Amino acid sequence: MSGVGFDFRNESCVVAVAKLTSVVSFDEEQRFLGVSGAATGTANPRDSISLIMRSIIGRPFSDPKLQQDLKALPFSVTEGPDGFPLIHARYRGETKSFTPIQVMGMVFSNMKRLAEKNFDTTVADCCIGIPVYFTDLQRRGVLEAATIAGLNPLRLMHETTATALAY
């Protein structure tokens, strides 16, 4: 396979024809990704991370829009040493801190694993759909998260462009 398309959304993700949920949830024993993360997240919302793409990735902690969005999120977010957000979740009995890029990398890893399982081949090259309003920092965050997951993002494509191409 020469490449795969990933569309990372707020509530769900799409890998070619496989629709996924973009939630990472932690409990005392393990990490849950995707559908199992969403199922676990209802029982444990404080340690379930979602809405990374829309609300947090690539935004400095001081961003007024981020501060407004943080009021609605059930999980804990503080300012990291670099001025960007740190997300906190209880995992294996202790509070762990993750950057939004690390959390997005976890979701991309799950999407990659599912794509490899469904297509019965190794997935490396990909194209990633992003919102049209993304800033350069947000774009770089998505690229870094894909790299963490072992993906080679060939291109970031605006959702509107992807829709036009599909039409």
Side-chain angles (χ1 to χ4, degrees):
M1 178 176 298
S2 60
V4 172
F6 293 106
D7 188 1
F8 191 108
R9 300 177 188 166
N10 287 316
E11 298 297 327
S12 63
C13 299
V14 177
V15 181
V17 295
K19 189 171 182 178
L20 311 168
T21 302
S22 57
V23 176
V24 178
S25 183
F26 298 91
D27 73 2
E28 291 299 316
E29 299 297 319
Q30 60 188 348
R31 174 182 71 177
F32 299 94
L33 297 161
V35 175
S36 61
T40 306
T42 57
N44 188 14
R46 295 189 62 89
D47 296 324
S48 300
I49 304 164
S50 62
L51 301 175
I52 296 298
M53 182 71 107
R54 178 181 65 110
S55 301
I56 302 175
I57 191 108
R59 289 188 176 169
F61 190 77
S62 60
D63 184 316
K65 176 74 173 127
L66 174 64
Q67 290 301 314
Q68 182 181 351
D69 289 345
L70 289 180
K71 294 174 187 172
L73 298 176
F75 50 89
S76 174
V77 180
T78 61
E79 184 172 9
D82 59 355
F84 284 87
L86 275 180
I87 301 164
H88 306 284
R90 290 204 42 86
Y91 180 50
R92 296 192 176 186
E94 56 186 270
T95 301
K96 303 274 185 175
S97 299
F98 303 97
T99 67
I101 292 170
Q102 288 173 318
V103 174
M104 186 180 259
M106 292 176 204
V107 175
F108 275 136
S109 293
N110 186 46
M111 293 167 69
K112 177 184 176 186
R113 182 183 54 77
L114 289 171
E116 288 177 339
K117 180 181 173 188
N118 286 309
F119 298 132
D120 197 28
T121 187
T122 302
V123 173
D125 294 341
C126 66
C127 179
I128 302 171
I130 59 168
V132 70
Y133 56 82
F134 261 26
T135 65
D136 188 53
L137 275 175
Q138 290 171 306
R139 291 166 173 269
R140 283 190 269 155
V142 170
L143 291 171
E144 191 175 331
T147 303
I148 287 172
L151 295 167
N152 177 32
L154 300 174
R155 181 168 307 267
L156 296 179
M157 183 179 291
H158 290 144
E159 294 167 337
T160 53
T161 303
T163 301
L165 287 172
Y167 182 73

